[in-house]
Amino acid sequence: MKPDACILGIESSCDETAAAVLRADGTILAEAVFSQQAEHAAFGGVVPEIAARAHLQHLPGLVADVLQKSGINPTALHAVAATAGPGLIGGLIVGASFAKGVALAHGLPFLAINHLEAHALTVRLPGLMPGAPPAFPYLLLLLSGGHCQCVLVEGLGRYHRLGSTLDDAVGEAFDKAAKLLGLPWPGGPHLERLAATGDPALVPLPRPLMGRAGCDFSFSGLKTAVARAVALGQARPQDIAASFQAAVAAVLADRASHALDMAPSVTALVVAGGVAANGAVRAALGNVATARGLPMLAPPLRYCTDNAVMVAWAAVERLRYGLVDSLAHNPRPRWPLAELSGTAAA
Ligand code: KG4
Ligand code: ZN
């Protein structure tokens, strides 16, 4: 594949509709993200049917837009890639079908990209971070509204999930705690702002699984404790918010530390997902990395959260090994990273 080969990427697995045109050398020619947040806010969470319809409504315009901005005629594309799982099946079908349509119409290869693999490889996009991209293996902490896991990234197609959540994802926990505090959805950023004015030491909250072997997560007990503190009405909301955030940061640091014990030869601690935006979380994870002499790498926020550049980049990585998918490939709502193992020589 030549460095100037252009890939169209499409993301539609949750509530962001996104398209991007990326060159194989990592140059982002054009990108667009439409966040459906406003359409779901009234319901306090993502409504799958509304999401699917919104993807259908917005995706064609976004793709036309990025093609026009990049000055690339679809026939000049090298390949088309879409997220094909895991995620909400309606949105996945919209994105993957659209990508297949473009591929079929212009005789291009199609790639069905695993969303988690796309998050895992983002940090390798040249020029995204200062310095050289991390070498394999590295530890990925995926901290979003839908995913919460520690993944050892050994190479392309070689991922080992070391631990994951037993109940809620960490972003979900932020959103539920925020809701209990009367904040709008999605509550993570609102809770962080409120926490800035509170005292993290005032409300005693549990730190689930802290110190336990392995690197699984659990947040439902913490959420229940927040509900109890709110119902008691004795603590100020900002103190509850600050104490919750401190508990989450402490738990994440402990889990990351255990994950690093399980993967001693990694070159970096990579953090992705919307919760990577949280200052307390970043600081706590940064300390864990520093204590081991490792860099902590978090892509710029727009590439930490769902976007199509990461989908196109995962396609570039796979195309280097000649990996493409059939137009008969079906999107999968559940698609664990482990099932990609062995798909590529790395
Ligand atoms: O990765 P993301 O944009 O979407 C997916 O879930 O796939 O993550 C969104 C999650 C939401 O739960 C949101 O509340 C949380 O990330 N989040 C934050 C912050 N910004 C976003 N949580 C805590 N602090 C923040 N500053
Ligand atoms: Zn995601």
Side-chain angles (χ1 to χ4, degrees), residues 11 13 115 119 142 144 147 304-306 310:
E11 160 62 36
S13 65
H115 183 81
H119 274 303
L142 186 51
S144 74
H147 305 286
C304 264
T305 56
D306 291 350
M310 70 178 189

Side-chain angles (χ1 to χ4, degrees), residues 14 16 144-146 171-172 174-175 186-189 192 273-275 277-278 304-306:
C14 190
E16 261 91 32
S144 74
E172 207 177 346
F174 265 101
D175 294 343
E192 182 173 23
V275 178
N278 186 281
C304 264
T305 56
D306 291 350

